[in-house]
Amino acid sequence: MYDQPRRNPSLTAMTFEQMLERVRYEGAYPTRERAAEPVRNVLAALGRQITGDARVDLARCLPVEAALTLTAQIPDTEQLTGWGFVKDLAARTGTTPATARWDTGAVLTVVSHLAGPDLLARILQQLPGGYALLFGQAELRQPENAA
């Protein structure tokens, strides 16, 4: 009559090492170690932008090491646009905007895979314009003053 107790299945679809390997592939980085730096930097920057349930749910989808990097950040009081996110990342890491954009795309493409379409839609709805492209998605926002 009673259900047998079951372990909660892990929501994470991959280990941190597997995540690094995917980012290495997406970004054409020579080694996993080289891919680890953009993963840390981009997830920290993303952790300063997303809040609430979307932040918690995204952390659940990520490998533990990545989730800790995301959630260790205090969200900024002012959200950045997608381009502002890239420029801020470039300034914080001492790279060019082109390199920061490359790193962002490589990491957030993998993050979008881990998050899945429903959570990604919630995250994009919370963020200002320009983030969909960073996640490897089409920008589908409607103009605010459409008649």
Side-chain angles (χ1 to χ4, degrees):
M1 276 317 272
Y2 296 103
D3 284 338
Q4 294 295 320
R6 295 181 220 163
R7 290 182 46 220
N8 289 332
S10 172
L11 297 176
T12 303
M14 64 178 66
T15 67
F16 189 62
E17 290 301 314
Q18 290 170 326
M19 182 182 186
L20 290 178
E21 187 60 30
R22 285 285 302 269
V23 170
R24 186 193 70 73
Y25 176 80
E26 291 290 334
Y29 301 111
T31 64
R32 265 191 226 152
E33 292 74 24
R34 173 59 185 91
E37 184 178 354
V39 168
R40 285 190 304 273
N41 293 335
V42 171
L43 288 177
L46 186 61
R48 290 188 290 274
Q49 296 301 307
I50 60 173
T51 60
D53 289 342
R55 177 184 171 103
V56 172
D57 293 344
L58 179 58
R60 283 184 180 160
C61 295
L62 299 174
V64 172
E65 299 89 335
L68 291 173
T69 301
L70 177 85
T71 58
Q73 304 304 307
I74 297 171
D76 287 341
T77 56
E78 183 179 330
Q79 286 188 318
L80 301 171
T81 64
W83 177 236
F85 179 89
V86 170
K87 290 191 306 186
D88 181 65
L89 182 63
R92 288 176 186 265
T93 59
T95 62
T96 66
T99 300
R101 172 61 181 95
W102 183 269
D103 291 346
T104 299
V107 174
L108 294 185
T109 297
V110 175
V111 169
S112 71
H113 171 74
L114 289 168
D118 294 338
L119 177 55
L120 183 59
R122 286 180 30 224
I123 291 169
L124 291 175
Q125 193 169 27
Q126 182 184 105
L127 294 169
Y131 280 88
L133 294 174
L134 299 177
F135 280 95
Q137 306 293 308
E139 186 76 46
L140 299 175
R141 292 182 182 255
Q142 295 294 322
E144 304 253 338
N145 296 329

